Amino acid sequence: MGQLLFKNIKKVYDGDVQAVADFNLEVDDKEFIVFVGPSGCGKSTTLRMVAGLEEITEGDLYIDGKRVNDVAPKDRNIAMVFQSYALYPHMSVYDNMAFGLKLRKMPKEKIKERVQHAAKILGLEELLNRKPKALSGGQRQRVALGRAIVRNAEVFLMDEPLSNLDAKLRVQMRAEIIKLHAKIETTTVYVTHDQIEAMTMADRIVIMDDGYIMQVGTPSEVYDHPDNMFVAGFIGTPAMNFIHGKIDGKNFVTETMKVEIPKAKLDILKKQGFEKKPLVLGIRPEDIHDDNAVREAYPNAQVDFKVDVAELLGSETNISAQIGKYDVIARVDARTDINIGDTINLVLDMNKAHFFDKETKKVIRED
Amino acid sequence: MENYLLLVQVSRVNQTIKAHLDGFFDHGKKEVLEAKSFLYQTSLYADHLPHEDIVGLLYSDFNIKVKIAAIGEKILSFVSIDTLNQTLKKMPEEIYAVEDLLKHLIITNPKAQKELRQSFAKVLSHSDILTLNTYAANNLNTIKASKSLFLHRNTLTYRLEAIKEKTGIDVKTFKGILIFNLLFSL
């Protein structure tokens, strides 16, 4: 069992610098949870508090119902995988993996069994006698995972474990970690700044900024229903477009554009009292279209774009353009022949549009 | 390239822990300063060793606290390793550059501050100190600083490099210039 419970966890460094503010979260057994956010958002600090490498300033941390604030790292039944792998350079792969068990005074035979088993899962059987220096980056990373696996720990903690690998290997190891989790089902807390890792690996994502949790949800929840402008802008590449404006009749208007808001969305906006307040329209690049079917469905959501840059990516083209003073990116089919300087007519899929309160930056939805 | 020394302090020590420290750090010479303080020589750039992870690993495996300070050999002409060792003991964090230790020393120990100032003054000329103060006053901006010193920018860069050679402190970093700023402009 590997449940984690964070109750009002805070971390304040000397000099009153707040790194983590009032962190509340329940992680279920077997869950793969990813903390993601920009540098300095508090994700690593939170992980290191679970590992016991950082003291918890305030609040309570429970592993399987047991409060562990004051439990030493080695007694927490967690296994940490470090960014740089942190293998003992003078010991063989076998000894590195066996090490945690030896420290816990496990009988030799049992250690051997566990190490062999983990080595088999990770494809390290041939490398057990080598020293870390004689391994590739990917192999070292696997040994680091092996160290964690043999421990049968209740929770795995991984701090940017793939960031030292090259791009191709990273994709491969990403898949391996997902497979590994499916096989051994250990609760895993994974920290990354890479939203693609977060989206592809997580059961649930915790998005953090400046010490605060901005949203917790499944990858599709945070992508399709972001709670606020930070999450909306952070998840997705190219990022969601934001256009500032207000309601005028049935329409969302700025100085240079006017698009009709679907009735259901308009009703919510009016009900929440945004008829006269400044609004931000959020629309993802892939929800801006150039085909006629969409144009017929939303005849009143057409906008003329003056093309600044057109990047052909193979199957699609990213068009950078300006609507008034706002930079906007649209992702359209690569069939469309587009040149810089052209003015083209595109249509916004307004049912996929998000509306945010300009002041609070929060999404506007029904109560 | 200048040799780096790693000053390593541990909260507890035994044969096993010593063997692991050696495994991580010992690439040449090792000196035992005190029972729980070691000085390792390394040819690696200090930044290339994953110090934070090593500290984390040793803490989670052995429950020992480890402190590490990376020290260029040159700086030892101006301050003794024993002084640095005693300074590191008083500091709260785990990983430091030598400039952090010097800053702590200057702020907390007036006598050591005076000694440091005197020993740096032996190798720094009056124009070196003027250069450093002007560079700091111009927010480490070489273009602005060179203008106000009536120097070519390359000449300024050359002088700053020369000061680094002489003192072992990279004055083009904030941490580095801060040391001389504390010593010579107060």
Side-chain angles (χ1 to χ4, degrees), chain A residues 75-88:
Chain A
D75 302 322
R76 284 195 187 189
N77 209 4
I78 44 125
M80 175 112 171
V81 178
F82 292 96
Q83 182 173 355
S84 63
Y85 331 131
L87 303 174
Y88 290 102

Side-chain angles (χ1 to χ4, degrees), chain A residues 52-53 73-74 82-84 86-90 99 103 147, chain B residues 19-20 23-24 50 52-53 56-63:
Chain A
L53 300 175
K74 68 182 178 55
F82 292 96
Q83 182 173 355
S84 63
L87 303 174
Y88 290 102
H90 52 298
F99 192 64
L103 283 177
R147 268 181 59 108
Chain B
H20 292 307
F24 278 119
E52 199 177 326
D53 287 356
L57 183 74
L58 292 170
Y59 186 45
S60 42
D61 279 350
F62 294 100
N63 216 16

Side-chain angles (χ1 to χ4, degrees), chain A residues 75 78 81 102 104 106 117 130 135 158 162 180 192-193 196 202 211 261 273 310 312 340 358 363:
Chain A
D75 302 322
I78 44 125
V81 178
K102 278 188 194 156
R104 284 165 184 78
M106 187 182 270
H117 176 70
R130 289 209 196 161
L135 301 177
M158 305 193 187
L162 306 184
L180 183 70
T192 180
H193 64 274
I196 297 177
I261 305 171
L312 177 67
I340 294 170
K358 189 181 169 184
V363 79

Side-chain angles (χ1 to χ4, degrees), chain B residues 24-42:
Chain B
F24 278 119
F25 303 120
D26 195 1
H27 303 285
K29 276 196 294 191
K30 182 178 89 164
E31 210 181 307
V32 181
L33 300 174
E34 285 177 304
K36 292 187 261 179
S37 295
F38 309 94
L39 188 66
Y40 290 100
Q41 194 173 64
T42 168

